[in-house]
Amino acid sequence: VSTVNHLFNFGISPDLIASELLAVIAQRLVREICPVCKKAYKPDTQELRSIGIPDGQRTTFLCYKGTGCLNCDGTGYSGQVGLYELFEPNTQLRSEIAKRRTTHDLKNLAVKAGMKTLLEDGIKKIHQGITTIEEVARVCCAKCPGCGKAIPETEDICPFCQYWLYEVCGHCGAKLEIEWQVCPFCGTRKFSKE
């Protein structure tokens, strides 16, 4: 979904994006658990929090990890597998793209329309015993500087404590790091918060 915002930043008209964008696929590679030394275990609360799983789901969550063997050179992993997210804009999403809505808003609408996120695909592959919590957390989650909870890397605002992870340029709508004083996409200076 963030690709839409990148296209805005390249100067492509929101109307053109809305009418011509057919689909966007995101991919992240994670290491696959070695099938020879794979063992089941119950994850602790901290591990589950690292991928955004609430404490209440701990009892139903079974995970796997490799213990290390000759087949995997003691790493517990053998090979890689992809995590995928497919964004296919429907009529409502096209309308919102034309209005130049934020990545956060578009993602929420896409999820409501049935899109499975990278994190959801990762959690599914954890359940299937294909990869580990650590691998999914590494590629799909970040730690909020405000509250320390795991959040998907695509979020602009922490859903738990409302900490702003990024700012948005008032001129072009590009995602800006909090520390940046000038938008690198359009050159607009950030206003002082004093």
Side-chain angles (χ1 to χ4, degrees), residues 7 19 26 34 38 55 64 105 117 144 161:
L7 293 172
S19 64
C34 174
K38 179 168 44 174
D55 294 346
Y64 300 86
D105 291 341
T117 66
C144 173
C161 70

Side-chain angles (χ1 to χ4, degrees), residues 42 56-62 127:
K42 286 262 189 192
Q57 290 184 15
R58 183 175 186 265
T59 56
T60 62
F61 213 94
L62 184 64
H127 274 298

Side-chain angles (χ1 to χ4, degrees), residues 66-85:
T67 57
C69 67
L70 290 174
N71 184 62
C72 63
D73 292 328
T75 64
Y77 295 101
S78 178
Q80 293 182 319
V81 66
L83 304 183
Y84 300 97
E85 176 179 291

Side-chain angles (χ1 to χ4, degrees), residues 13-73:
S13 158
D15 290 327
L16 183 62
I17 297 168
S19 64
E20 299 301 323
L21 184 68
L22 298 178
V24 177
I25 189 162
Q27 170 189 299
R28 301 288 185 278
L29 292 176
V30 292
R31 294 181 294 173
E32 200 168 353
I33 301 170
C34 174
V36 176
C37 63
K38 179 168 44 174
K39 301 282 184 228
Y41 76 100
K42 286 262 189 192
D44 64 28
T45 303
Q46 194 63 25
E47 281 183 289
L48 292 174
R49 282 186 185 152
S50 74
I51 56 169
I53 302 292
D55 294 346
Q57 290 184 15
R58 183 175 186 265
T59 56
T60 62
F61 213 94
L62 184 64
C63 295
Y64 300 86
K65 62 180 161 185
T67 57
C69 67
L70 290 174
N71 184 62
C72 63
D73 292 328

Side-chain angles (χ1 to χ4, degrees), residues 101-119:
R101 296 298 292 258
T102 65
T103 300
H104 181 76
D105 291 341
L106 291 174
K107 181 182 176 197
N108 286 340
L109 288 169
V111 168
K112 285 179 186 171
M115 181 184 82
K116 298 295 181 221
T117 66
L118 284 167
L119 182 57

